[in-house]
Amino acid sequence: MRALFSVLYPVISITVFGLYPSMTIGPKEGWQVYSSAQDADGRCICTVVAPEQNLCSRDAKGRQLRQLLEKELKEKMDELQPLIPVLEQYKTDAQLISSFKEEIRNLSMVLTAIQEEMGAYDYDELYQRVLRLDSRLRNCMGKLTCGKLMKITGPVTIKTSGTRFGAWMTDPQASQRNNRVWYMDSYTNSKIVREYKTMEEFVANVVSRTYNLPFKWEGTGHVVYNGSLYYNKYQSNIIVKYSFETGRVLAQRALEYAGFHNTYPYSWGGYSDIDVMADELGMWVVYATNQNAGNIVIAQMDPDTLEVQKTWNTEYSKRNAGESFMICGTLYITNSHLTGAKVYYSYSTKTSSYEYTDIPFHNQYFHMSMLDYNARERALYAWNNGHQVLFNVTLFHVIKTEDDS
């Protein structure tokens, strides 16, 4: 701005006094001689005087011009003010880009090192290394013996659908690529089973197939095992094996002395007298008999013929049990189907002995009508008051060594 005023000084402050030689202004009044002219006789005929430079600041026109210039400059500055944050952002972005460049350089060095290492092997050799590692992993997993239940966590709510009671399940014998889900709503007076190709389609309610069973079921203690459905036939103690592939009944067998149709149900009722299960050791069925005073009986069953191979009599009342499930040949019984439930009692078929336990789990929706273990998923499937939920289980494992027989 100072340079601009210095250019304008001669224009706004020069005063010309022509043809008035006798009219002079002395420097004491704040003016100074700027220029003069003389005639042939040496007489002054024209004198140009100008105010001192510091007088311009007191000149009214000068002040007006300065105010106009300052206003215009201020407006320009106001227009430029919003650009300051933009410039700061550019500065930050420039620093970020510099950081990215440094990371890319480091990554390039890592990739180069990997490429050099990979260059030492051809595809076939790498593939064989992967197969060997996979084999070692499977051998390691094979050394995990059946475990003892230590903890139940969850649940994770997969879906909310159906009535208050029902059952849903996957096949623990299926391959990892086969993730079909089966869904059986209600505990009686129905023959419709819905199938879903994946868990995602189950959540989205995309039914892939519907089966119409030849007999109605009772309770919710069904299980799918190796491609077939096992369930309790309505108003009987008969177990039915139904093939999903052929759509036919492959076997039927009555459980000797087993109570049915709310004779010895779980505490929630619902004709839950007979509960078919599966675990790492095979297929089981849990029920009660008059001969065992209404206490739970565990039976190991042949999945092909449904023949009972061996039975164990427990001392736990079937009517007092909320639900139960098998893990590695041990039956775990919950003390309630309502809120505050926990695994209260377990019976080992290996040692033919029982113990009282204290393993709580969160009964989120306050009414459990189905609880089954899936050995492939290492999870508990549950039907909780119209919600299909999953629980994770923690097992205590024993590792077999090469010296173990």
Side-chain angles (χ1 to χ4, degrees):
M1 185 180 293
R2 183 179 301 172
L4 187 59
F5 275 117
S6 65
V7 174
L8 294 174
Y9 271 125
V11 178
I12 66 173
S13 58
I14 295 175
T15 305
V16 178
F17 299 90
L19 303 179
Y20 294 96
S22 62
M23 186 177 182
T24 59
I25 301 175
K28 63 182 179 180
E29 297 183 29
W31 293 77
Q32 60 184 347
V33 176
Y34 185 78
S35 182
S36 63
Q38 299 175 348
D39 61 10
D41 296 327
R43 291 175 298 183
C44 182
I45 62 173
C46 178
T47 300
V48 179
V49 295
E52 291 181 4
Q53 196 170 20
N54 58 3
L55 289 178
C56 291
S57 61
R58 297 191 296 271
D59 183 81
K61 292 184 178 180
R63 288 197 301 273
Q64 291 177 359
L65 182 58
R66 185 178 63 183
Q67 290 172 357
L68 290 173
L69 289 171
E70 288 180 348
K71 180 180 180 182
E72 183 178 356
L73 185 60
K74 184 177 184 303
E75 291 175 353
K76 295 295 183 183
M77 291 298 294
D78 290 341
E79 292 178 2
L80 294 174
Q81 192 72 23
L83 294 178
I84 294 176
V86 177
L87 293 175
E88 292 295 330
Q89 185 62 45
Y90 283 158
K91 182 179 178 181
T92 303
D93 291 344
Q95 293 175 347
L96 186 60
I97 290 172
S98 177
S99 176
F100 283 163
K101 287 182 178 179
E102 183 64 25
E103 291 186 19
I104 290 172
R105 281 194 293 269
N106 295 337
L107 182 60
S108 298
M109 294 174 61
V110 173
L111 291 175
T112 300
I114 293 175
Q115 187 175 15
E116 291 175 354
E117 183 180 353
M118 293 287 289
Y121 306 98
D122 58 20
Y123 174 80
D124 291 336
E125 186 173 354
L126 285 173
Y127 182 68
Q128 292 302 318
R129 291 180 69 188
V130 170
L131 290 180
R132 289 195 294 271
L133 288 172
D134 182 68
S135 177
R136 290 174 62 187
L137 177 61
R138 292 182 181 276
N139 289 337
C140 182
M141 291 296 293
K143 292 180 180 180
L144 290 177
T145 63
C146 267
K148 180 179 180 179
L149 180 65
M150 303 297 293
K151 186 178 181 181
I152 300 174
T153 56
V156 176
T157 302
I158 303 300
K159 189 177 179 181
T160 302
S161 64
T163 63
R164 194 177 186 186
F165 317 98
W168 71 295
M169 64 216 79
T170 59
D171 189 346
Q173 292 294 100
S175 67
Q176 291 297 329
R177 295 181 179 179
N178 184 349
N179 296 305
R180 288 186 293 174
V181 179
W182 288 272
Y183 179 89
M184 302 169 69
D185 191 13
S186 187
Y187 62 85
T188 188
N189 201 31
S190 179
K191 297 192 295 182
I192 302 300
V193 180
R194 293 180 176 86
E195 178 183 289
Y196 304 83
K197 288 183 179 179
T198 64
M199 191 69 73
E200 291 75 17
E201 291 192 3
F202 173 64
V203 173
N205 199 32
V206 181
V207 179
S208 63
R209 191 171 176 182
T210 300
Y211 301 90
N212 193 351
L213 301 177
F215 313 111
K216 295 179 182 179
W217 67 72
E218 274 199 353
T220 58
H222 330 300
V223 68
V224 175
Y225 189 82
N226 198 23
S228 293
L229 172 68
Y230 298 78
Y231 69 97
N232 178 204
K233 186 177 180 180
Y234 180 64
Q235 290 188 336
S236 75
N237 60 2
I238 296 174
I239 303 295
V240 177
K241 177 183 179 181
Y242 175 84
S243 170
F244 287 124
E245 182 178 357
T246 64
R248 295 188 302 108
V249 172
L250 301 183
Q252 295 185 68
R253 186 177 293 271
L255 288 172
E256 189 175 17
Y257 306 122
F260 61 92
H261 205 64
N262 269 356
T263 302
Y264 297 116
Y266 288 125
S267 59
W268 64 272
Y271 305 147
S272 55
D273 304 65
I274 297 174
D275 195 352
V276 188
M277 309 175 184
D279 68 357
E280 293 85 350
L281 304 184
M283 286 198 61
W284 309 82
V285 59
V286 170
Y287 55 98
T289 64
N290 289 332
Q291 288 74 8
N292 197 34
N295 294 325
I296 288 177
V297 176
I298 305 170
Q300 191 164 23
M301 186 171 58
D302 187 308
D304 295 324
T305 65
L306 305 183
E307 181 181 358
V308 172
Q309 298 170 326
K310 188 176 180 180
T311 60
W312 293 260
N313 292 331
T314 75
E315 297 179 2
Y316 199 97
S317 168
K318 182 73 163 50
R319 284 184 169 272
N320 290 337
E323 269 288 343
S324 66
F325 53 90
M326 296 287 296
I327 299 179
C328 297
T330 296
L331 179 70
Y332 295 93
I333 301 175
T334 66
N335 66 334
S336 172
H337 64 283
L338 302 174
T339 182
K342 63 182 179 180
V343 177
Y344 180 76
Y345 177 98
S346 67
Y347 186 95
S348 171
T349 59
K350 182 178 181 179
T351 61
S352 298
S353 63
Y354 71 90
E355 64 176 335
Y356 290 97
T357 62
D358 187 6
I359 305 175
F361 63 95
H362 183 38
N363 191 347
Q364 184 171 358
Y365 303 107
F366 314 119
H367 196 288
M368 197 80 66
S369 61
M370 171 250 176
L371 190 63
D372 276 335
Y373 174 69
N374 185 294
R376 186 185 72 166
E377 308 296 337
R378 292 282 173 89
L380 292 172
Y381 283 62
W383 190 292
N384 195 340
N385 208 1
H387 301 79
Q388 293 75 53
V389 302
L390 287 175
F391 292 91
N392 288 322
V393 298
T394 300
L395 305 181
F396 176 77
H397 289 281
V398 177
I399 306 296
K400 290 181 180 178
T401 66
E402 299 297 334
D403 297 334
D404 292 338
S405 56

